Amino acid sequence: DRACELPLSLNSSEKIALTKATVFDVSGRLVESRSHPNIRWSLDLLKTLRRFGRHANQSEVARIIDLAEQGAMFYATPEHRFLEQHFLTLLVDLYGGRQSADLLKARRRIAASIEAQAQDAQSHLAKLAFYHQAIEVYANSGDSTKVDEMKRHIAEEAIAASTEALPMSAGMQIPS
């Protein structure tokens, strides 16, 4: 973030252009490496590029979206769902507040990733937590069918979780 603060505070179009070019170059190479943790490091650089806001043209925003999309696809694996969700959240931020098809698609992908985390979880309590997160994101994307499905999963997992969280007690004598 500091990389973009200085040229922005100086309001130097030359330094802004140089900084953007450098950050694009490094983030592009990290994503092209197709390896972890390089792609994860690119997430920070893509967030930095997003901060250029009005100083970024449409083709630059499209390139950030493309790199974020590649990062999300790379991390769409059970062991990296959290990173996938971070890349998808960046996409949501890039699509902005307007309700576009791309924005809704990115939100639904986040919810689907969280739902997959729930299905992969070993604990019923963890599944409950993930399904609760998924229901919120599906609700924000207007997918009432998936909201109803998540409610059914929550009801099932709540029953199963009741056996995981049993009360425990221990007796002990207090000397008088």
Side-chain angles (χ1 to χ4, degrees):
D1 285 348
R2 193 74 178 129
C4 76
E5 285 179 20
L6 189 58
L8 286 173
S9 65
L10 295 173
N11 201 22
S12 167
S13 57
E14 182 181 302
K15 293 194 185 312
I16 290 171
L18 177 62
T19 303
K20 284 192 306 186
T22 302
V23 176
F24 266 120
D25 178 55
V26 173
S27 62
R29 283 189 281 136
L30 289 171
V31 170
E32 287 170 9
S33 75
R34 306 296 301 153
S35 67
H36 174 77
N38 291 358
I39 295 178
R40 188 273 168 252
W41 294 330
S42 73
L43 178 63
D44 296 326
L45 295 174
L46 296 174
K47 287 179 179 180
T48 296
L49 287 168
R50 184 193 70 211
R51 292 200 54 220
F52 281 103
R54 64 182 173 83
H55 296 283
N57 60 41
Q58 286 297 92
S59 66
E60 290 170 333
V61 172
R63 186 159 179 223
I64 298 168
I65 288 170
D66 179 56
L67 292 169
E69 184 66 49
Q70 289 180 54
M73 288 189 304
F74 180 81
Y75 284 119
T77 61
E79 62 272 6
H80 292 113
R81 297 267 184 227
F82 188 70
L83 289 170
E84 174 193 23
Q85 292 161 25
H86 276 284
F87 277 100
L88 292 171
T89 300
L90 176 61
L91 286 173
V92 167
D93 292 345
L94 290 165
Y95 292 133
R98 62 191 187 285
Q99 292 294 325
S100 69
D102 290 330
L103 174 66
L104 291 176
K105 182 181 173 187
R107 282 184 179 160
R108 287 183 177 138
R109 286 174 63 195
I110 292 169
S113 177
I114 296 168
E115 182 181 356
Q117 267 185 301
Q119 293 164 351
D120 294 340
Q122 300 299 312
S123 159
H124 295 290
L125 292 172
K127 288 179 185 233
L128 269 174
F130 287 127
Y131 283 132
H132 275 286
Q133 284 180 322
I135 203 170
E136 287 180 37
V137 182
Y138 278 130
N140 287 337
S141 65
D143 194 337
S144 60
T145 303
K146 290 301 278 186
V147 168
D148 291 340
E149 183 183 328
M150 293 303 103
K151 286 179 182 179
R152 284 191 299 279
H153 285 304
I154 287 171
E156 293 166 3
E157 293 302 329
I159 292 168
S162 65
T163 61
E164 275 184 23
L166 296 175
M168 297 180 72
S169 63
M172 77 182 213
Q173 294 274 328
I174 299 177
S176 45

